[in-house]
Amino acid sequence: MPRRTRPPLPRILALTLSRLCDRPLTLGDLGFPEPALPSEPQSPAAPRPVTAPARESGDPTNRRQALALLGGVTTAPLLLPGKAAADTATLYTTAATTSDLQPADLNEIDLAVHDLSATFSARTPDQLWPIAAAYRHQVHQLLRRPHTLREGRELTHHAGMLSVVLAWIAHDYGDTATAFAADAWAHGEQADDPEVCAWAEDVRCTNALYADRPYDALTAATRGLAVAPRSGTAIVRLSTQIARAHAKVGQRDAFETAAAGARTYMDRIPTHGAGLFGVDAVRILSYEASAHGWLGKPLEAGRAAEEAIREYEAVTGLRQAPTRLAIAQLDLALSRVALGQPDSAVELGRRALSGDRVVDSIRSRARDLDRALRRNYPTVSDVREFSGQVHALRG
């Protein structure tokens, strides 16, 4: 049986694309020469018939769309290897590596993220916000300019991290941080960077805790822990977050299990971390002080708070954590109220409010202390004076 031969590749393309149009496509439509067709034998005296030019039938739009699938005539050089195909490959390379950005643009943003993180505790929200907001908008503008895929991924990563910074500043203001946390999560997904997503849920969890939305906090901590890379640092923070979120909703057994898991990191991390995204053992103690207080265990809360305060007061420079120190002092004060020591509680509360960085989380915890003092010791003069100080801060 004779072997069937396949039509040449150009004719296969023409036949395939014909199905997308209202009329058959010819090789000429694709930029190829038409093969000569054999003519019928004719009498020498008979004149060759003259035919009118054939009118193009079908919708020309369909034809153009079909040709566009192959990039028009520019697809033809790729059908066979050669210089034309090599030149086309070079065009692809040029398109993939062409950018309007400069290396200095990316370096500037990278340094800005590190600087904002490293100096976060040393600056007030009023000092931090305009800087972080300006850089975040700059990244937004850079992403709108022509850039390579690698540059786009790096910029998207920085956009997510800057939104995490802005979410923390918004939290310190007492404003909603959820919009920036959501933006950070979205950019982390686009950059294929789960660490950014994990940090977004870290700040979302803390914001929900102080907004008295404990189940939202637990959801955020759980989602963040699920995506946090096992080799990163965010997993340490989220392990402690999920423990105190369980405590906030009153789940004692779940808290104990999660707290035990968080403590396994204490031998592998420094006692004091530096920067907004640092991890440290003292934070675990500080979180446990709050958690024990929420679970109604003042003795355990007091011991954890005292240990955290000693560690926080022992460091200087950028490793200081004034916000965490003040909250540990307020947690200790709350435990003293429960143990019948109002004078000590008031003194600790005043110390917590004497710093230069009294942000909303400190004011919120101070209001908790004020309510506990007035509920248990409404006639003590120091309690009334402290209440006035707390209300003045709210104003």
Side-chain angles (χ1 to χ4, degrees):
M1 182 175 180
R3 183 178 179 181
R4 299 179 62 185
T5 59
R6 297 179 60 188
L9 180 58
R11 186 170 297 279
I12 293 175
L13 289 173
L15 293 172
T16 301
L17 290 176
S18 294
R19 300 173 183 174
L20 301 176
C21 303
D22 294 336
R23 70 171 184 82
L25 292 178
T26 67
L27 295 182
D29 291 326
L30 298 177
F32 297 98
E34 292 279 5
L37 299 177
S39 56
E40 291 185 26
Q42 296 181 358
S43 167
R48 194 184 192 93
V50 178
T51 58
R55 295 181 58 188
E56 182 174 285
S57 62
D59 184 0
T61 302
N62 288 344
R63 177 174 173 268
R64 286 193 296 269
Q65 290 174 347
L67 291 173
L69 293 174
L70 293 179
V73 295
T74 60
T75 306
L78 289 179
L79 297 177
L80 292 172
K83 184 179 183 306
D87 290 344
T88 303
T90 301
L91 290 176
Y92 294 160
T93 304
T94 301
T97 56
T98 298
S99 173
D100 280 357
L101 308 185
Q102 300 297 324
D105 295 328
L106 294 169
N107 290 337
E108 180 186 0
I109 300 299
D110 185 53
L111 288 173
V113 174
H114 285 290
D115 179 66
L116 287 165
S117 168
T119 63
F120 190 90
S121 297
R123 302 194 210 182
T124 65
D126 287 344
Q127 293 170 327
L128 289 165
W129 181 268
I131 300 171
Y135 276 114
R136 178 64 187 87
H137 192 68
Q138 182 177 340
V139 174
H140 174 70
Q141 297 291 359
L142 290 174
L143 282 168
R144 295 166 63 89
R145 291 165 55 183
H147 56 266
T148 66
L149 293 175
R150 183 192 63 79
E151 289 171 339
R153 182 173 178 175
E154 187 173 347
L155 282 172
T156 305
H157 163 85
H158 291 323
M161 293 303 286
L162 284 167
S163 281
V164 173
V165 174
L166 286 167
W168 277 113
I169 304 172
H171 170 70
D172 283 346
Y173 270 126
D175 201 351
T176 176
T178 53
F180 286 104
D183 181 65
W185 175 280
H187 281 78
E189 282 191 317
Q190 293 301 313
D192 194 21
D193 193 337
E195 186 91 358
V196 176
C197 296
W199 286 121
E201 295 308 287
D202 176 57
V203 62
R204 197 198 300 265
C205 174
T206 295
N207 191 66
L209 282 173
Y210 281 93
D212 199 24
R213 293 184 283 107
Y215 285 100
D216 288 345
L218 185 58
T219 298
T222 302
R223 187 164 82 145
L225 193 62
V227 301
R230 305 300 100 173
S231 59
T233 55
I235 189 174
V236 180
R237 284 265 287 269
L238 285 158
S239 295
T240 61
Q241 288 277 42
I242 202 167
R244 69 171 181 166
H246 279 303
K248 187 67 171 175
V249 297
Q251 298 173 346
R252 289 174 177 263
D253 292 342
F255 162 73
E256 294 294 345
T257 301
R263 276 185 165 268
T264 62
Y265 292 103
M266 293 185 70
D267 294 335
R268 291 178 276 166
I269 58 178
T271 303
H272 298 279
L276 181 60
F277 302 108
V279 294
D280 52 77
V282 187
R283 186 183 294 267
I284 296 177
L285 293 172
S286 177
Y287 281 9
E288 286 187 356
S290 300
H292 286 307
W294 292 330
L295 291 171
K297 300 192 293 183
L299 286 174
E300 292 86 343
R303 283 195 292 266
E306 286 173 339
E307 190 175 354
I309 291 169
R310 282 195 300 270
E311 293 291 349
Y312 282 132
E313 291 179 337
V315 296
T316 58
L318 293 178
R319 290 186 178 272
Q320 287 184 316
T323 301
R324 298 302 320 159
L325 171 60
I327 290 175
Q329 290 168 336
L330 290 165
D331 282 334
L332 181 57
L334 283 162
S335 73
R336 296 286 171 81
V337 173
L339 295 172
Q341 303 172 29
D343 294 340
S344 176
V346 169
E347 176 59 27
L348 285 163
R350 287 171 175 165
R351 284 166 54 188
L353 297 179
S354 64
D356 296 330
R357 201 175 188 277
V358 181
V359 296
D360 189 70
S361 55
I362 298 174
R363 293 193 294 268
S364 174
R365 195 63 58 86
R367 291 194 291 271
D368 293 341
L369 176 61
D370 174 42
R371 285 190 291 268
L373 284 166
R374 286 189 290 109
R375 182 172 59 249
N376 291 279
Y377 308 99
T379 61
V380 176
S381 60
D382 283 349
V383 169
R384 292 196 298 268
E385 290 178 8
F386 180 72
S387 182
Q389 183 180 357
V390 172
H391 282 271
L393 284 173
R394 294 179 65 182

